[in-house]
Amino acid sequence: MKNIVKVSFAAACALVLFQTNSFANENLATAFENGKVNGKLKSYYFAKSYDNNTYQDASIWVNGIDLGYKTGSFYGFSFGTTAQFASVTSIDDKNNRYAPYMDGSGAIMSEIYLSYTYDKTTAKAGRQYFGTPLVAGSGSRFIRQSFEGYSIENTSLDNTKIVAAYLTKFADRTDNAGSPGKFGDGRIGVDGAWTVYAKNNSINNLTLQAQYAERSEKVQNADNGAQIFYGDGLYNFGGDMKPFVAAQYLTTTYDQTGIKDGDAYGIKIGATFFGLNTYAAFTSVGNSSVEQGIGSGAIPLYTNGETVDAWSATLSDTDAYKLGLSYKIDSVILSGSFASYDRKNVPKVTETNFTATYNVTKNLSAQLQYSMLNNEYIVEKDIDTDLRTRLVYSF
């Protein structure tokens, strides 16, 4: 009798387990069936010219595809992944000027994450793209920078978004040796980086942002980590001319003895005249440099450059101003800017940039970006011009 009871109980458990698994598999199958594939076919051609004898002019043509997939929801859980494939089709770069930025053939799994959403909160774990003012991967080159770690976003409070993250690895554009970047310490330090970010627009026409980020030391026991704080406010006055005024503050506290903490502030005003969007900005850095953030996409100062050494405004004793405008004609957006960086005991540096973006169709876009530069930049010594063209088909 006991054996019969045991067998009956085991059979009942097996039946329940089978039904539960069948139910789960059915829902899991539905989640995958409801998944979405997305991607981009890309073709980028970049070229640089120099006005010295140190570097020779360089050019590179890269083609490839980004391919992503995200499942539908399964009890709030979903899985996502994105792979980037790049092929350097042609290159003329005797001085390896594109080695850290564009010269990378191969594939990288930039996103592999599990996310969970409950009400107005989403948590994500794994490799992921991440974008906030102080922590952001750049997508301006062919391979987009990516992070690995944990993030959470909440919008429960009215007109407020809060984001927190602990990032353990970082993948750059290339590995500086002809392949896409690999996940490692990179920009985040040996013990990773963490951040908290808040954005609020509870007051009509006013948007406020604040973020704190901390990067661990680049080498164990080097004591060269940094803590960065950023805040800004933007007020739109409304009306046909859409005038606005904005202000920002950026500060860096360095762990390393002998390096002074840095701070910077900026102001920006703008308006629209007969469809022409215009702005003027000014920033100033004290006698110690500030860090622009973590990842090449973190360039929050209003006067940072458009192309070469985009963080030019963050150097010590730098007063910078930038003027910009843009105009839309049907499916074409034309924009231009001029930035000047006045540094103590260093020749003034300027950048003049023109950009034209043509949205050929809903899925196809073409862009041409051209910058004229002078004097010595941080990395690009005596660069004269920088050309970037992008052709992208999104699906």
Side-chain angles (χ1 to χ4, degrees), residues 73-331:
S73 178
F74 175 65
Y75 293 106
F77 288 95
S78 62
F79 170 79
T81 182
T82 301
Q84 298 187 84
F85 303 87
S87 174
V88 178
T89 308
S90 175
I91 184 170
D92 181 9
D93 187 14
K94 294 180 177 61
N95 300 116
N96 297 319
R97 304 314 299 160
Y98 284 112
Y101 312 112
M102 288 283 286
D103 188 7
S105 290
I108 180 173
M109 196 68 74
S110 298
E111 288 194 299
I112 311 175
Y113 64 83
L114 181 68
S115 67
Y116 176 72
T117 299
Y118 177 76
D119 194 18
K120 297 181 179 181
T121 300
T122 297
K124 186 182 290 187
R127 296 181 179 182
Q128 55 192 281
Y129 294 137
F130 192 82
T132 54
L134 280 187
V135 183
S138 172
S140 64
R141 309 307 201 274
F142 199 88
I143 295 292
R144 182 178 176 181
Q145 294 171 334
S146 182
F147 296 88
E148 182 174 314
Y150 312 90
S151 65
I152 185 167
E153 178 178 317
N154 178 273
T155 56
S156 297
L157 299 176
D158 291 341
N159 304 307
T160 301
K161 178 169 72 172
I162 299 174
V163 178
Y166 171 60
L167 305 169
T168 59
K169 293 182 181 180
F170 173 81
D172 213 336
R173 296 150 171 160
T174 77
D175 65 355
N176 225 342
S179 298
K182 297 176 176 59
F183 281 88
D185 298 342
R187 308 281 182 86
I188 60 175
V190 294
D191 294 322
W194 70 275
T195 186
V196 59
Y197 165 72
K199 181 178 181 180
N200 178 273
N201 56 356
S202 297
I203 302 175
N204 288 339
N205 302 323
L206 177 65
T207 300
L208 299 173
Q209 295 185 111
Q211 185 170 10
Y212 175 85
E214 183 169 328
R215 172 184 56 76
S216 60
E217 62 256 24
K218 297 177 182 177
V219 179
Q220 200 71 48
N221 300 321
D223 197 29
N224 59 0
Q227 298 83 48
I228 314 166
F229 173 79
Y230 175 75
D232 71 22
L234 170 68
Y235 187 81
N236 288 295
F237 293 92
D240 295 337
M241 295 179 62
K242 302 176 183 177
F244 69 86
V245 60
Q248 62 181 182
Y249 178 71
L250 175 65
T251 183
T252 305
T253 301
Y254 297 96
D255 293 339
Q256 194 166 352
T257 304
I259 299 181
K260 295 180 180 179
D261 298 341
D263 61 274
Y265 68 87
I267 57 174
K268 184 178 182 179
I269 59 173
T272 300
F273 303 93
F274 304 104
L276 183 67
N277 301 310
T278 64
Y279 70 84
F282 172 81
T283 61
S284 181
V285 183
N287 59 10
S288 185
S289 298
V290 292
E291 292 203 5
Q292 83 273 15
I294 302 168
S296 299
I299 44 175
L301 289 185
Y302 298 144
T303 58
N304 278 320
E306 297 292 334
T307 53
V308 177
D309 290 346
W311 55 92
S312 295
T314 63
L315 296 183
S316 61
D317 296 306
T318 298
D319 290 335
Y321 71 86
K322 186 175 183 180
L323 307 174
L325 53 83
S326 65
Y327 189 77
K328 184 177 181 180
I329 308 173
D330 296 326
S331 298

